Structures are given as structure tokens and as C-alpha cells.
């Protein structure tokens, strides 16, 4: 008897910190694409960001775990954090394929800002063979096939998700200025940030 494929959504990010924009987009995509699971994968050492401005992988992983709460279709993976060094999507997908086995159908989820840079990702030429890409709308960024490298258009889906103009950068800035982050992140993440005095420095 032929077994169905396991449809896995992979949501990569720095998650510094994870916020409701990430969670709402992931849940919307899960439902629209009938995905079996969404795996949040916090990056180890992000290649596109400056060192020093990233909170420790342990904090980012813990906040992600707290944020997914009781959503039984959401999980958090430490593959990129465990691998250490810079995180490459290609390596992550290959590793997940080993873990989940041959029946895996991978959908990599990115925001409109991130998908526009896909051709700059490490060994990006192999990515279309490894996964399908779901590019979600994000306030402040234009979502359209014209923004996507032609080599990726055949493996990329575009989807409008409920618009939440939230970014981790803005959350970090608000904390530095002593402003509220209530309702931008799950309450449990807000408490974790305050308890551990994260993002208060310059
Ligand atoms: P930073 O400001 O530090 O870059 P961020 O809010 O962009 O943080 P990331 O961890 O960089 O969060 O993003 C992970 C993924 O989630 C990316 O693909 C990004 O485009 C997407 N994303 C982030 N925020 C939103 C949002 N509000 N709506 C839709 N997608 C989002
Ligand atoms: Mg970002």
C-alpha cells in the first residue's frame, strides 16, 4: 500500500525574538497548504547578520519553544544550533531529510523580504531539487514573482497572509527604549525576555 508523503513546513529564521508575525504566517500557511507539521528552525550563526547583535542560540531556541505553546502541529528544531557556525538552508534541508526519511515533502517558508535574496544563499542552485518554497506577504515588502530569481520561480508559491507589521528589530528597539512589547510576542515570551533582561543593552 502506498503511504502518503509527510508534508513538512520549515520556517527558518533568527527568531531574535520570535513574534506573532512568525506564528500567524506559519499557522496560515499550515492550513492553506495542508501541511502535517511546521518546524521552526532557529539559526546558529546567521550569515547575513552582524555578529554581536544576536542573542544566544539557547535563548532564541527557548523563546521559540515557549512561543509555539500548545499548537500540536508546531515544533522547534535545534539542527542549525547544534551544527554550529553559519547556518545554510541547503544543509538544514538535507539534514532534515535524513531525520524524517524518504517520504518527506519539504516546504520552506520565507517572508517576502527573505525570498528576494534566495539566490545569494549558499549553494542556492541545488535548492529547487530539495524543497518547494512558500513566500508569504509581509507589510513593507512587495511580494511578486518579479522579485524572485527566475531559477526559483517554478518551485515557489506566493501567498498573502494576514498582515502583521511586526519585526524582531522593532521589538529589540522597543525594549531598549523601555517601551511595551505586549501583544507583539506571546505573553510567555515577553515574560522570558524581561526575566532574563534580554535586549536591554545598546
Ligand atoms: P529581524 O528584524 O531581526 O530581521 P524578523 O522579524 O525579520 O527579524 P526573522 O527571524 O529574520 O524575523 O524572520 C524569519 C522569517 O520570518 C523570514 O523569512 C521573514 O521574512 C519572516 N517574517 C518575519 N516577520 C514576518 C511578518 N511580520 N510577516 C510575515 N513574515 C515574517
Ligand atoms: Mg529578518
Amino acid at each position: 500500500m502506498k503511504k502518503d508523503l509527510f508534508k513538512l513546513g520549515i520556517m527558518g529564521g533568527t527568531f531574535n525574538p520570535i513574534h506573532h508575525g512568525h506564528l500567524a504566517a506559519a499557522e496560515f500557511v499550515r492550513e492553506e497548504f495542508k501541511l502535517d507539521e511546521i518546524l521552526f528552525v532557529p539559526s546558529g550563526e546567521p550569515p547575513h547578520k552582524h555578529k554581536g547583535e544576536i542573542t544566544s542560540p539557547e535563548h532564541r531556541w527557548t523563546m521559540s519553544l515557549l512561543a509555539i505553546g500548545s499548537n500540536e502541529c508546531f515544533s522547534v528544531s535545534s539542527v542549525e544550533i547544534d551544527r554550529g557556525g553559519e547556518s545554510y538552508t541547503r544543509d538544514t534541508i538535507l539534514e532534515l531529510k535524513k531525520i524524517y526519511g524518504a517520504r518527506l515533502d519539504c516546504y520552506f517558508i520565507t517572508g517576502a523580504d527573505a525570498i528576494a535574496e534566495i539566490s545569494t544563499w549558499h549553494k542556492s542552485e541545488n535548492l529547487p531539487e530539495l524543497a518547494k518554497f512558500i513566500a508569504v506577504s509581509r507589510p513593507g515588502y512587495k511580494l511578486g514573482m518579479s522579485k524572485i530569481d527566475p531559477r526559483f520561480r517554478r518551485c515557489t508559491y506566493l501567498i498573502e497572509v494576514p498582515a502583521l507589521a511586526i519585526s524582531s528589530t522593532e521589538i529589540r528597539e522597543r525594549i531598549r527604549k523601555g517601551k511595551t512589547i505586549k501583544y507583539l510576542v506571546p505573553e510567555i515570551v515577553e515574560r522570558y525576555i524581561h526575566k532574563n533582561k534580554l535586549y536591554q543593552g545598546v
Side-chain angles (χ1 to χ4, degrees), residues 101-115:
R103 296 241 139 250
L104 191 64
D105 191 15
C106 280
Y107 294 78
F108 195 87
I109 305 163
T110 73
D113 55 323
I115 195 77

Side-chain angles (χ1 to χ4, degrees), residues 14-15 19 22 49 110-111 113 138 164 166-169 172:
T14 323
F15 303 124
H19 54 67
H22 300 126
K49 303 212 174 177
T110 73
D113 55 323
R138 180 172 187 184
L164 291 178
I166 306 174
S167 74
S168 304
T169 301
R172 295 192 300 271

Side-chain angles (χ1 to χ4, degrees), residues 134-147:
I134 300 175
V136 303
S137 54
R138 180 172 187 184
Y141 301 92
K142 200 172 160 358
L143 180 69
M145 278 298 175
S146 62
K147 296 268 171 198

Side-chain angles (χ1 to χ4, degrees), residues 140-192:
Y141 301 92
K142 200 172 160 358
L143 180 69
M145 278 298 175
S146 62
K147 296 268 171 198
I148 297 169
D149 186 296
R151 291 171 301 156
F152 293 92
R153 289 181 193 164
R154 68 183 165 86
C155 63
T156 302
Y157 301 91
L158 306 181
I159 179 169
E160 289 284 334
V161 297
L164 291 178
I166 306 174
S167 74
S168 304
T169 301
E170 190 202 340
I171 290 168
R172 295 192 300 271
E173 275 171 19
R174 292 185 68 82
I175 296 168
R176 265 197 299 274
K177 292 177 183 162
K179 290 184 161 181
T180 178
I181 57 162
K182 223 173 242 316
Y183 312 121
L184 300 178
V185 299
E187 197 177 339
I188 193 162
V189 172
E190 183 193 348
R191 265 189 269 130
Y192 184 92

Side-chain angles (χ1 to χ4, degrees), residues 14-185:
T14 323
F15 303 124
N16 187 33
I18 192 164
H19 54 67
H20 278 134
H22 300 126
L23 295 163
E27 176 65 2
F28 197 84
V29 166
R30 182 195 65 74
E31 184 173 68
E32 289 297 306
F33 285 80
K34 299 187 170 49
L35 303 181
D36 294 300
E37 182 184 345
I38 302 273
L39 196 58
F40 291 82
V41 187
S43 59
E45 197 86 29
H48 297 299
K49 303 212 174 177
H50 298 291
K51 293 194 174 113
E53 69 178 40
I54 310 292
T55 307
S56 77
E58 291 73 22
H59 279 317
R60 291 184 289 110
W61 184 83
T62 306
M63 288 189 281
S64 303
L65 197 62
L66 292 172
I68 63 169
S70 57
N71 189 329
E72 53 187 29
C73 294
F74 282 5
S75 5
V76 182
S77 166
S78 61
V79 282
E80 292 196 353
I81 290 172
D82 294 345
R83 209 163 55 225
E86 299 203 332
S87 302
Y88 297 121
T89 298
R90 176 185 167 275
D91 298 343
T92 299
I93 297 174
L94 287 172
E95 202 166 335
L96 291 174
K97 279 181 184 274
K98 273 193 216 147
I99 296 169
Y100 280 77
R103 296 241 139 250
L104 191 64
D105 191 15
C106 280
Y107 294 78
F108 195 87
I109 305 163
T110 73
D113 55 323
I115 195 77
E117 293 171 4
I118 194 168
S119 54
T120 68
W121 296 2
H122 180 68
K123 292 194 180 158
S124 63
E125 63 279 8
N126 302 131
L127 289 173
E129 300 150 28
L130 297 177
K132 284 164 262 216
F133 289 81
I134 300 175
V136 303
S137 54
R138 180 172 187 184
Y141 301 92
K142 200 172 160 358
L143 180 69
M145 278 298 175
S146 62
K147 296 268 171 198
I148 297 169
D149 186 296
R151 291 171 301 156
F152 293 92
R153 289 181 193 164
R154 68 183 165 86
C155 63
T156 302
Y157 301 91
L158 306 181
I159 179 169
E160 289 284 334
V161 297
L164 291 178
I166 306 174
S167 74
S168 304
T169 301
E170 190 202 340
I171 290 168
R172 295 192 300 271
E173 275 171 19
R174 292 185 68 82
I175 296 168
R176 265 197 299 274
K177 292 177 183 162
K179 290 184 161 181
T180 178
I181 57 162
K182 223 173 242 316
Y183 312 121
L184 300 178
V185 299

